[in-house]
């Protein structure tokens, strides 16, 4: 990959990069098999990596995915105009080279790079109860808060999976002591922490916005 190739691709394509597909395996959960992959390809990265459950878009970050994570796992690659995959380059390198020309002054000054990416989530069941650090907490480890927006398109969800619900927060009468007690059992047994929460049914054609710091 060379700097001239990045600039040439950007200019000739009038600022529109063609990104190659990025699939990410996960050890937890079961695949919903709605990513339209060949049935034999869900374990393409090996049984020790888990099945492919996510497809990432416009990503400039590495996937934090355990000890067997590949060095470029999660990164989006740009396909040159001649479609020669041997000369592909990462979107992260392209943003680093082009700077504000590609993402604008505001994003570059505030984040230093492209600050977001999108995913297709393809899990058979609901994700585990979790949260992402708010901005103040994330700053302590040199990160930024991670808000999440979800949309459930009818066109891609002909199959709703098992238990099509998402848990949010805790019941109003839940105490901090009750939450701490469940968390203390995390490495011992199923702590059944969702018994303290509420499940909301997924409605196709709608979505949710979850600010950082929200369980």
């Amino acid at each position: 990959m060379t700097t001239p190739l990045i600039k040439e691709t950007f200019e000739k394509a009038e600022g529109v990069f063609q990104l190659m597909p990025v699939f990410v395996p996960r050890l937890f959960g079961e695949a919903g098999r709605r990513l339209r992959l060949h049935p034999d390809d869900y374990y393409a990265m090996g049984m020790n990596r888990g099945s492919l459950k996510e497809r990432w878009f416009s990503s400039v970050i590495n996937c934090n995915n355990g000890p067997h994570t590949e060095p470029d796992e999660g990164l989006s690659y740009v396909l040159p105009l001649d479609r020669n995959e041997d000369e592909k380059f990462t979107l992260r390198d392209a943003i680093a080279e082009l700077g504000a020309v590609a993402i604008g002054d505001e994003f570059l000054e505030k984040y230093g790079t492209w600050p977001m990416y999108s995913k297709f989530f393809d899990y058979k069941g609901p994700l585990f109860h979790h949260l992402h650090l708010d901005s103040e907490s994330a700053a302590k480890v040199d990160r930024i808060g991670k808000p999440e927006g979800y949309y459930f398109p009818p066109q891609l969800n002909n199959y709703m999976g098992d238990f099509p619900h998402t848990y949010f927060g805790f019941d109003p009468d839940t105490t901090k002591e009750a939450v701490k007690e469940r968390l203390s059992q995390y490495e011992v047994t199923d702590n059944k922490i969702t018994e303290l929460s509420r499940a909301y049914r997924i409605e196709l054609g709608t979505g949710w916005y979850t600010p950082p710091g929200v369980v």
Side-chain angles (χ1 to χ4, degrees):
M1 185 277 299
T2 62
T3 295
L5 180 59
I6 290 177
K7 292 183 177 179
E8 178 187 9
T9 303
F10 183 79
E11 292 171 358
K12 288 187 176 180
E14 298 181 344
V16 179
F17 283 137
Q18 181 177 352
L19 301 180
M20 301 174 67
V22 180
F23 293 98
V24 173
R26 297 293 191 184
L27 279 172
F28 56 83
E30 295 183 54
R33 297 179 180 268
R34 288 161 292 196
L35 290 177
R36 301 182 181 180
L37 297 174
H38 188 284
D40 294 340
D41 288 342
Y42 277 92
Y43 288 90
M45 299 180 72
M47 293 294 291
N48 65 325
R49 301 300 317 282
S51 57
L52 298 177
K53 303 181 185 73
E54 301 178 13
R55 180 177 175 180
W56 290 20
F57 301 86
S58 65
S59 169
V60 298
I61 67 168
N62 291 90
C63 182
N64 184 4
N65 209 12
H68 300 292
T69 305
E70 297 292 337
D72 62 348
E73 193 164 313
L75 291 175
S76 291
Y77 276 90
V78 178
L79 188 65
L81 296 178
D82 62 4
R83 304 184 67 82
N84 182 358
E85 293 188 17
D86 291 335
E87 294 188 338
K88 66 184 180 182
F89 52 88
T90 66
L91 179 62
R92 181 166 66 186
D93 286 341
I95 299 302
E97 173 63 32
L98 297 169
V101 175
I103 63 174
D105 292 323
E106 182 178 352
F107 273 2
L108 188 64
E109 291 174 7
K110 187 173 183 179
Y111 302 106
T113 186
W114 179 244
M116 67 190 81
Y117 64 106
S118 301
K119 302 179 182 181
F120 281 163
F121 264 24
D122 184 33
Y123 290 82
K124 188 177 181 181
L127 294 179
F128 46 80
H129 211 38
H130 69 286
L131 61 80
H132 295 283
L133 297 178
D134 59 26
S135 298
E136 181 179 353
S137 299
K140 296 178 181 179
V141 290
D142 296 323
R143 295 292 187 269
I144 60 175
K146 182 186 177 186
E148 291 188 331
Y150 289 83
Y151 177 68
F152 307 101
Q155 299 90 340
L156 299 178
N157 285 283
N158 59 302
Y159 167 62
M160 293 288 286
D162 296 342
F163 196 74
H165 299 70
T166 293
Y167 287 94
F168 279 119
F170 297 107
D171 279 327
D173 59 351
T174 301
T175 64
K176 289 185 178 180
E177 288 70 25
V179 175
K180 290 178 180 178
E181 193 279 328
R182 299 295 178 110
L183 291 176
S184 70
Q185 299 298 309
Y186 178 76
E187 295 184 345
V188 179
T189 184
D190 178 4
N191 61 21
K192 298 181 174 63
I193 196 169
T194 51
E195 291 180 346
L196 306 179
S197 182
R198 294 184 180 183
Y200 295 82
R201 184 177 180 84
I202 291 173
E203 181 180 347
L204 296 184
T206 68
W208 296 311
Y209 170 71
T210 309
V214 173
V215 179

